[in-house]
Amino acid sequence: MKDIEFIGSSLEIIKDFPLKAKRQVGHELDRVQRGQDPSDWKPMKSIGTGVKEIRVKDKDGIYRVIYVVKYLDLVHVLHAFQKTTQQTAKNDLDLAKKRLKKLIQEATHGSI
């Protein structure tokens, strides 16, 4: 089973999700830790190779968790957010890209 690293404020954001969404995200991340795909996901090629987005929808809203499993055999949660429009907000995509870039730099320079 792979460990999870929550980058930046991603864990705090998930903790603020409504209970049902938070439980679903936890279940989906458990699946990822065990080497399985989440129940509902899509590749996020615009952010980077191997980046995926967990998609959770409940009565309170639509929630997303962006992660990558490519480095050091860990699940790296890059970003989490509540989706408020049909298209993912540019600032959410940019933040995930920035965190991935930093992760890649650390992985290639041996800091992690």
Side-chain angles (χ1 to χ4, degrees):
M1 188 155 147
K2 296 177 182 175
D3 288 333
I4 295 183
E5 176 187 43
F6 293 92
I7 299 175
S9 59
S10 57
L11 180 58
E12 290 76 25
I13 293 169
I14 292 169
K15 286 180 178 180
D16 286 340
F17 285 177
L19 183 60
K20 187 175 177 184
K22 188 173 10 184
R23 284 183 177 162
Q24 184 65 34
V25 166
H27 172 73
E28 300 300 343
L29 286 173
D30 181 69
R31 289 179 58 89
V32 173
Q33 284 182 278
R34 295 174 187 281
Q36 302 170 343
D37 284 329
S39 303
D40 187 2
W41 67 278
K42 75 174 193 173
M44 297 297 288
K45 294 177 185 173
S46 65
I47 295 173
T49 304
V51 177
K52 296 180 180 179
E53 176 184 71
I54 294 172
R55 306 183 316 179
V56 172
K57 183 177 182 179
D58 75 2
K59 67 177 180 62
D60 295 314
I62 299 170
Y63 303 90
R64 300 292 189 253
V65 176
I66 299 174
Y67 72 96
V68 64
V69 185
K70 193 172 169 181
Y71 303 97
L72 300 177
D73 207 32
L74 291 170
V75 177
H76 298 277
V77 176
L78 301 171
H79 186 39
F81 57 96
Q82 181 174 5
K83 194 165 179 182
T84 56
T85 61
Q86 184 71 20
Q87 190 172 12
T88 301
K90 183 179 180 328
N91 63 323
D92 288 314
L93 295 173
D94 289 347
L95 181 58
K97 284 179 193 174
K98 179 180 172 184
R99 289 177 175 171
L100 178 63
K101 183 178 179 180
K102 184 177 179 189
L103 175 65
I104 292 169
Q105 288 173 339
E106 291 172 352
T108 57
H109 292 94
S111 340
I112 56 174

